Amino acid sequence: MDQTQTFWQFVNQQSDKLWNQTWAHIGLTMISLILAIIIAVPVGILIARKQKLSGIVLGIAGVLQTIPSIALLGVMIPFLGIGPKPAILALFLYALLPVIRNTYTGIMEVNPAVVDAAKGMGMSKWQILTKVELPLAFPVLMAGIRTATVINVGVATLAAYIAAGGLGEFIFGGIALNNSNMILAGAIPAALLAIILDFLLSLVQKINLKSIRVSWLILPFVFISMSSFYLLPTQIGGRMLGGFTPEFMGREDGYLGLKSVYRLGIETVVISDAVMYKAAFEHKLDVISGYSTDGRLKAYDLITLKDDKGIFPPYYAAPVIRNEVLTKYPELEAVLNQLSGSINDSIMTALNYKVDQLKQSPEQVAMDFMVSKHLYKPSKNGTKGTVRIGSKIFGEQYILAQMYKILILGNTDLTVLTKTGLGGTKICFDALTNNQIDFYPEYTGTGFLVLLKPDKKTIKQLEGNTDGVYQYVSQAFNKQFNIKWLKPIGFNNSYALMMRKEQAQSLHIESITDLTNHLKHK
Amino acid sequence: MIKAAHLVKKFGSSTAVNSISFDVKEGENLILLGTSGCGKTTTLRMVNRLTEPDSGTIFLNGTDIRSQQPETLRRGIGYVLQNHGLFPHYTVAENIAIVPRLLKWESSKTGKRADELFEKLNLDPAIKDKYPAALSGGQQQRVGLARSLMVNPPVLLMDEPFGALDNLTRISIRKEFRVLDELVKKTIIMVTHDVQEAFEMGDRICLMDKGEIMQIGTPEDLLFRPANNFVANFLDEQRLQLELKSVLLEEILPGSAKNISVWDQMESLLQVNAYPDDAPGDALTIESLMAAFSKYKKR
């Protein structure tokens, strides 16, 4: 069976991809590091000369360091688009602080008597810098560069979110697809890379420099950086560019299906759904993989392409709950089912729009909706026990979790703890099976294809059969995991391919088949 | 050879050096003596432009030192620091070759000169490939001196050169340096706070306080003809020893051996007296020496 593939089989099978990602990872790390060294070392020297500046400069570099990586990447999209450029800039900014600080500290720690002697013997300022201060500061400076390298190897995994490649493609793809081999195939090389680079730099650190021969040091660096430009994803800028999430790239009902069923030939990059819609809106991407109820569809004026060959199975949302919890609190099932049937696709899209675009809080949106549907009851402030609700890390799940919270508080004597923002499907589902949460909203298609991973025959059999899929997952989950699927809420949040409305209309593309033909004939 | 005129240097609101003037003749040892903060180091550093005076001028061989690039000026002036200032990442051989390399000497010439100095300074040639951290304090100070003497500069500036050494090493190195032919010919300005050192090493002493010169003159001038109370008080504590050291035997007993101080004579007499049988019958005794010294002082 192919799902019990070993790690080595996976690595063998994906070795091309693995090498590409590793080289891209090295390229991103090294280029940003070299740029950081080129800027940060002179800045460090400058602030060692002009003490007054040191506070401000180290402060600014420190603030840059504290910006969450994914936020920094997101901020850069409007200016630099997607791909390696914003990733390198972000990594560069992260590498600045350790290098500036250690250059500064290293020079400040040089014995003043030695500098005084050098001056007194008639060395010029440049000679003092290159023959005395930098060589003596070198071990400290190198320690800073090592820190920056290790940070950059780690942060560079996030480059996969903005189509810059790197080992993050496997790591995030693996998390989204519940594929441990894939996670390890990304995580192990990344860890090895950090260890190896750090070790190599530790050898450099031990060199006793009589004088910094600037040219000798810069040459190999320039060589490496020039060569690593070849290794980065260069395919950006083709006729039409598809940007798909790591999860979509690896799914049978995603990119794999598009290739095998539709024979879709499009250049692709891997990107996070957090920035994907915006990138499409700003013409950085032409086709993206989205969710059909996503509020951003409305906000960015995107349309979904018709899935005329039915590769995207229906994704009805329903709470999945551990049977133990239902045994303990039997009243819960009826309470949670109150939501069933009250939300269709367009209502969900509208609710998502409020959260994603109008920036209303999920709590407020959920409350407004519950009140309007007369499902709201004031909290009974019960003390019978606690129910833990989980959610994945996007708006729709936040809203649903809040709605369930309102229902439970108003109708039972239980209190509620919400654990929202649990990464991808794997993280959420693992939390459920490991008794970290009691239930969360899941989608039938995800449960079917990602969590159960049935064989091809079963998939074929149930294709397009909405009820069949629900029945199948209900039974299988009950048997395999002791988990119950409650009644579907009513809307279908399936995968969809999306394009900008004006582009789709001008090219007369309405379905995925139209897109395939357009790409073939061009 | 060196002439300083009306030097003033202020650091913020405090005046480090307040309008001082002095001359140093060729081959002379001038000692800048004083307590810490008296401005002696600032004065020394103005000579090789490590510190620029706010006003006043220094002439070296009749030319204003500001007419030269500071780097060029400094390469022609030897500079010895308290903490030797050796480069920790250079071996001894590399350290002493710094100024020759700045002046683009042939390496064979540098090597020959290094060998010569090593011999004169009693340095083991085996330490050439060692790093400064592996040397003893005395060796470090000798290497520091060798480095400053490499290109045989006519002028040498020394900033508390023995300050970091322990007492015994200091006294023996001082004795060695005093008779070193390389140093005897040189024009030297040396900074110290140690009165003994000043009297031992100096042809003339410039006693400073609060940025001003209290008196400038020979050791005898300061001892026997103090310009003011400050000078007299400054020397009081060690007066007898200083007097014995600075007065020569021939001054109190004309016709005796030259260039021996009363102190030296006393030391040898006391040693001889430990074995009275060996004493030459009609020679000088401690008693007659003291009598002569006392007569000399009352003169």
Side-chain angles (χ1 to χ4, degrees), chain A residues 111 113-125 127 131-132 135-136 208-211 213, chain B residues 45 48 50 71 74-75 77 79 81 83 85-91 94 98-99 101-102 131 147:
Chain A
N111 182 351
V114 172
V115 178
D116 204 43
K119 225 169 155 188
M121 282 187 289
M123 285 183 138
S124 66
K125 278 182 182 167
Q127 286 168 329
K131 293 187 172 174
V132 182
L136 288 174
N208 177 6
L209 292 176
K210 307 290 182 200
S211 71
R213 288 291 176 90
Chain B
R45 290 167 65 90
N48 66 356
L50 285 174
E71 284 81 15
R74 290 174 195 147
R75 286 169 200 174
I77 298 178
Y79 184 47
L81 296 92
N83 293 311
L86 297 175
F87 291 3
H89 58 308
Y90 276 32
T91 61
E94 287 162 344
I98 292 169
V99 186
R101 277 176 65 183
L102 290 174
Y131 286 94
R147 183 171 72 172

Side-chain angles (χ1 to χ4, degrees), chain A residues 8 16 23 95 134 137 174 180 189 219 245 306 317 321 330 344 359 365 382 393 419 423 427 434 442-443 477 480 482:
Chain A
W8 292 115
D16 277 0
W23 282 121
L134 283 181
S180 306
L219 273 178
T245 61
K306 205 194 275 167
I321 184 162
N344 62 23
K359 309 294 172 203
V365 173
I393 190 157
K419 294 196 177 182
I427 294 173
N434 290 313
E442 185 54 281
Y443 305 89
F477 268 62
Q480 283 184 32
N482 199 19

Side-chain angles (χ1 to χ4, degrees), chain A residues 12 47 106 137 273 293 449 467:
Chain A
N12 266 329
I47 60 173
D273 67 335
T293 56
L449 289 164
D467 285 343

Side-chain angles (χ1 to χ4, degrees), chain A residues 19-35 84 87-88 91 152-153 156 164-167 193 197 224-233:
Chain A
W19 278 117
N20 280 340
Q21 291 184 12
T22 308
W23 282 121
H25 207 93
I26 294 172
L28 289 171
T29 309
M30 293 309 289
I31 292 171
S32 56
L33 194 65
I34 290 160
L35 290 176
I88 288 172
L91 292 171
N152 271 13
V153 170
L167 290 161
L193 206 55
L197 288 176
I224 295 169
S225 66
M226 293 320 277
S227 60
S228 41
F229 269 109
Y230 286 104
L231 309 168
L232 289 171

Side-chain angles (χ1 to χ4, degrees), chain A residues 127-146:
Chain A
Q127 286 168 329
I128 293 172
L129 178 69
T130 56
K131 293 187 172 174
V132 182
E133 289 176 308
L134 283 181
L136 288 174
F138 187 70
V140 181
L141 199 165
M142 279 306 297
I145 292 177
R146 285 171 67 181

